[in-house]
Amino acid sequence: MSSQSLHFFTPSSTACPNITFPKPSLPAPNRRLAFASSPRTFSIRAVSESSDPNPAPPPVVVADNGAGSRVVAAADSSSIEVDKVTEAELKENGFRSSRRTKLVCTIGPATCGSEQLEALAVGGMNVARINMCHGTREWHKRVIERVRRLNEVKGYAVAIMMDTEGSEIHMGDLGGAPSAKAEDGEVWTFSVRAYDANRPERTITVNYDGFAEDVKVGDELLVDGGMVRFEVIEKIGPDVKCMCTDPGLLLPRANLTFWRDGSLVRERNAMLPTISSKDWLDIDFGIAESVDFIAVSFVKSAEVINHLKSYIAARSRDNSDISVIAKIESIDSLKNLEEIIQASDGAMVARGDLGAQIPLEQVPAAQQRIVQVCRQLNKPVIVASQLLESMIEYPTPTRAEVADVSEAVRQRSDALMLSGESAMGQFPDKALTVLRSVSVRIEKWWRDGKHHEAMELPAVGSSFSDRISEEICTSAAKMANNLEVDALFVYTKTGHMASLLSRCRPDCPIFAFTTSTSVRRRLNLQWGLIPFRLGFSDDMESNLNRTFSLLKARGMIKSGDLVIAVSDMLQSIQVMNVP
Ligand SMILES: Nc1ncnc2c1ncn2[C@@H]1O[C@H](COP(=O)(O)OP(=O)(O)OP(=O)(O)O)[C@@H](O)[C@H]1O
Ligand SMILES: CC(=O)C(=O)O
Ligand SMILES: [K+]
Ligand SMILES: [Mg+2]
């Protein structure tokens, strides 16, 4: 017989009279009352037969001083921490209308100052992304410091994502110019030579030494997936002469691909390592700065993810685990999609480069597939690039952009990302507002219309205990929808149970209580989760009572709210009204 079984606990005499449950016919020793003192409480638990019948010690409030050491403090209303912006949003709009889709903003020259960062935090930025393709490490370090300071001083909970450069072929900078215009019929030189100050006009440097050998006369050269196109007309040593066939704006360090007879050419550059030597230095920098996420560009296989994860595990300080996000932006990453996502802690649909590697009309189907695989494997997924591209220059989005954002929200991706719109655009705050309002609107439409999808969520855990957690979360989410509860509560040390609830995309928000600051920040990326930091014990009754009083004191919940609580210590489901 297995060591764990699902127990129906007898409702207390004060349990909700409107809900009747089958009388359990379990042997007497396993029957326990769940919260005889709290009204309208009912609990279903999977209890280990060897579980300790003695009550757990009272809860301890733990404060994390950020450097990994822990301080025990007295319980007061400040001993629960939640993002200030989410708190205000909950109080203002109520549980139902709080936003479920998370927002990532790329930080660049337009948004690197403290005031601009704070405006983004107030506007709903959950994660700040720094792109190591651009800027110096010192520049990025200052951005990280500013975000951390805002979190500490102003009570935000913005997580940091570092995105690697990767070693795909790209142009160098433009000798300091912000952009350069290529006109139809002009001949430009692409060269692997290193120029000092005297770079000839219409000359672009290329980062990949084998460039001139790999390309052939007649190849089509695409800048940024086709924003500008050239045809290779002549090769002279390290210089490749190209004629512009589709004019446009060249941006510093833009990605380059070349095509022959309608297909992407993968020559020796296919052998370039996913993580270059410069990337490893950036990763060391990210570990030293304790970033929350490292997004790996141009992932080709699960191997590189596994390698990076063990590298991080060996080097990072305990207590500050870093999540590894696989960027899906190449043909190889689509080929090995399932195993890459399985190995990663999350994925990004990096549509910018993906659209340069596969025909554009295939990108929407790829996005749909990546989002679906991520949700099935319980990994957070970010939809990125060109969501609101026109807002780099204009204060309102196009109708088509709004439709695109809506589609990503409708697919229930965990997060949406701004790139140039927030990094160097003229209207970063307005772009964020568009993402926020479209998300809230589409989520509401989906809930009100009861558009519950029939996505199959396969078992992801391997152990029996993990399977129980999954079943509990799936059932709790379903109960939450059917009973129209106000919120799901989850007490989770690692965040795993919270992500399992998030995966079900329930109608109500999920309050995720966790003891560690870094887990709390990482949960920021996941759909529908409102992460709180709170010290708690294995005694659920006391955890709940304390949480209720702390949240009531802050005006975040009120008597009578209906809540379903689950926990990864006790593997239980409890339904109750806030006393
Ligand atoms: N730290 C930075 N410093 C200067 N410009 C930046 C910075 N970060 C982003 N940008 C600008 O914003 C644009 C969009 O940012 P984004 O992060 O999407 O980069 P990208 O070059 O398109 O590459 P990737 O494929 O890695 O996303 C960049 O092309 C660049 O012009
Ligand atoms: C985000 C990114 O790297 C891309 O879209 O290519
Ligand atoms: K990058
Ligand atoms: Mg990219």
Side-chain angles (χ1 to χ4, degrees):
M1 211 183 107
S2 103
S3 66
Q4 294 189 88
S5 55
L6 195 69
H7 291 238
F8 279 74
F9 277 69
T10 320
S12 69
S13 54
T14 51
C16 172
N18 302 325
I19 310 172
T20 51
F21 293 88
K23 269 248 152 155
S25 55
L26 295 166
N30 283 330
R31 243 188 255 169
R32 267 186 256 161
L33 288 186
F35 306 149
S37 57
S38 37
R40 293 191 61 173
T41 294
F42 188 76
S43 112
I44 304 167
R45 282 183 194 173
V47 185
S48 160
E49 304 224 319
S50 60
S51 73
D52 183 1
N54 298 321
V60 183
V61 182
V62 181
D64 193 325
N65 67 5
S69 58
R70 301 164 123 215
V71 185
V72 177
D76 58 38
S77 67
S78 64
S79 58
I80 190 160
E81 286 170 24
V82 66
D83 167 38
K84 187 173 109 175
V85 179
T86 313
E87 179 173 0
E89 194 184 323
L90 275 180
K91 285 184 193 165
E92 206 174 300
N93 306 326
F95 290 180
R96 287 265 142 180
S97 311
S98 68
R99 171 171 49 86
R100 310 297 149 79
T101 310
K102 301 302 179 77
L103 306 176
V104 183
C105 302
T106 304
I107 306 304
T111 41
C112 59
S114 292
E115 268 174 40
Q116 295 142 331
L117 288 167
E118 178 159 19
L120 292 178
V122 169
M125 165 171 68
N126 301 104
V127 179
R129 165 182 179 255
I130 49 172
N131 187 350
M132 303 311 280
C133 286
H134 309 281
T136 60
R137 274 181 215 124
E138 291 67 42
W139 187 93
H140 293 295
K141 190 175 160 66
R142 281 198 295 279
V143 171
I144 295 173
E145 279 164 6
R146 284 175 196 148
V147 172
R148 292 267 158 80
R149 191 155 171 73
L150 282 172
N151 286 349
E152 260 169 49
V153 176
K154 302 278 181 92
Y156 307 118
V158 177
I160 307 268
M161 175 179 293
M162 189 194 89
D163 194 321
T164 64
E165 177 167 338
S167 49
E168 293 294 285
I169 310 175
H170 59 77
M171 310 182 338
D173 55 31
L174 302 166
S179 63
K181 183 91 210 294
E183 303 283 1
D184 202 15
E186 279 178 0
V187 176
W188 285 66
T189 305
F190 288 77
S191 177
V192 297
R193 285 195 240 209
Y195 291 96
D196 45 27
N198 318 315
R199 181 201 312 229
E201 227 195 323
R202 290 188 197 146
T203 302
I204 300 282
T205 55
V206 179
N207 72 325
Y208 164 56
D209 287 342
F211 180 71
E213 284 133 74
D214 277 10
V215 292
K216 282 190 180 161
V217 171
D219 284 353
E220 202 180 19
L221 188 65
L222 271 64
V223 180
D224 257 347
M227 300 307 279
V228 189
R229 281 169 202 257
F230 292 89
E231 188 189 317
V232 178
I233 51 172
E234 194 182 3
K235 298 205 298 185
I236 313 166
D239 299 340
V240 178
K241 301 268 176 205
C242 302
M243 190 174 67
C244 181
T245 52
D246 250 345
L249 215 54
L250 302 169
L251 294 174
R253 308 179 84 80
N255 184 260
L256 293 177
T257 44
F258 48 103
W259 293 65
R260 197 170 295 154
D261 308 321
S263 307
L264 181 79
V265 181
R266 309 281 292 148
E267 296 282 310
R268 286 185 310 144
N269 69 70
M271 306 305 286
L272 291 172
T274 301
I275 301 180
S276 69
S277 44
K278 188 240 178 201
D279 291 338
W280 284 114
L281 295 175
D282 288 338
I283 287 165
D284 286 341
F285 163 79
I287 294 172
E289 294 295 322
S290 297
V291 299
D292 301 292
F293 302 94
I294 294 181
V296 188
S297 294
F298 298 102
V299 171
K300 294 178 187 135
S301 67
E303 214 180 300
V304 70
I305 298 287
N306 290 328
H307 183 184
L308 177 58
K309 287 192 72 152
S310 32
Y311 185 85
I312 292 171
R315 276 161 188 79
S316 50
R317 287 182 267 157
D318 56 357
N319 221 11
S320 67
D321 206 8
I322 299 174
S323 291
V324 173
I325 306 292
K327 291 177 68 185
I328 310 301
E329 53 184 341
S330 65
I331 293 176
D332 293 322
S333 61
L334 285 177
K335 270 191 208 133
N336 305 319
L337 187 67
E338 279 82 1
E339 58 179 68
I340 289 172
I341 291 175
Q342 185 67 63
S344 313
D345 302 309
M348 185 194 291
V349 188
R351 305 186 305 183
D353 285 303
L354 189 59
Q357 296 224 347
I358 62 174
L360 280 182
E361 62 275 18
Q362 287 176 20
V363 174
Q367 172 178 324
Q368 162 96 24
R369 178 172 160 232
I370 300 162
V371 172
Q372 173 155 349
V373 171
C374 283
R375 288 200 40 206
Q376 290 185 324
L377 296 177
N378 193 31
K379 310 285 178 169
V381 58
I382 307 159
V383 174
S385 294
Q386 295 186 345
L387 281 112
L388 297 172
E389 186 79 359
S390 76
M391 290 192 78
I392 292 177
E393 284 180 76
Y394 301 101
T396 52
T398 67
R399 280 56 175 162
E401 286 165 343
V402 171
D404 177 49
V405 173
S406 303
E407 176 61 8
V409 175
R410 203 195 53 75
Q411 289 171 345
R412 257 81 91 205
S413 48
D414 287 83
L416 309 174
M417 189 174 108
L418 293 177
S419 299
E421 302 93 332
S422 56
M424 46 77 154
Q426 294 186 47
F427 306 99
D429 303 335
K430 286 203 162 95
L432 192 57
T433 301
V434 172
L435 289 190
R436 199 177 63 228
S437 46
V438 173
S439 298
V440 168
R441 190 68 195 88
I442 298 296
E443 290 161 1
K444 180 170 162 23
W445 162 78
W446 163 63
R447 274 193 307 276
D448 291 353
K450 296 257 172 265
H451 297 292
H452 296 132
E453 65 204 322
M455 182 187 281
E456 213 182 304
L457 296 175
V460 282
S462 43
S463 72
F464 189 59
S465 172
D466 284 350
R467 296 288 313 281
I468 292 174
S469 296
E470 282 174 49
E471 292 294 336
I472 282 180
C473 289
T474 311
S475 308
K478 195 165 169 211
M479 285 169 76
N481 290 348
N482 293 343
L483 299 174
E484 299 188 4
V485 308
D486 295 297
L488 276 156
F489 278 20
V490 53
Y491 294 81
T492 172
K493 290 196 170 137
T494 59
H496 184 58
M497 281 282 262
S499 71
L500 286 171
L501 279 179
S502 161
R503 176 170 87 137
C504 301
R505 307 301 198 241
D507 286 348
C508 65
I510 303 159
F511 287 31
F513 304 99
T514 180
T515 49
S516 114
T517 316
S518 66
V519 171
R520 175 184 156 210
R521 273 200 310 265
R522 273 181 281 127
L523 292 180
N524 252 340
L525 185 62
Q526 300 189 25
W527 192 97
L529 294 185
I530 301 178
F532 291 81
R533 203 176 69 82
L534 174 77
F536 54 76
S537 71
D538 285 351
D539 178 354
M540 275 296 280
E541 177 167 12
S542 116
N543 290 340
L544 282 165
N545 287 334
R546 212 166 62 84
T547 313
F548 289 154
S549 60
L550 288 171
L551 292 181
K552 273 164 80 177
R554 285 174 80 140
M556 294 184 72
I557 56 168
K558 56 184 188 318
S559 289
D561 284 345
L562 186 59
V563 166
I564 291 184
V566 303
S567 107
D568 62 9
M569 298 89 68
L570 271 182
Q571 296 192 311
S572 64
I573 301 182
Q574 289 155 292
V575 188
M576 77 222 76
N577 285 109
V578 175

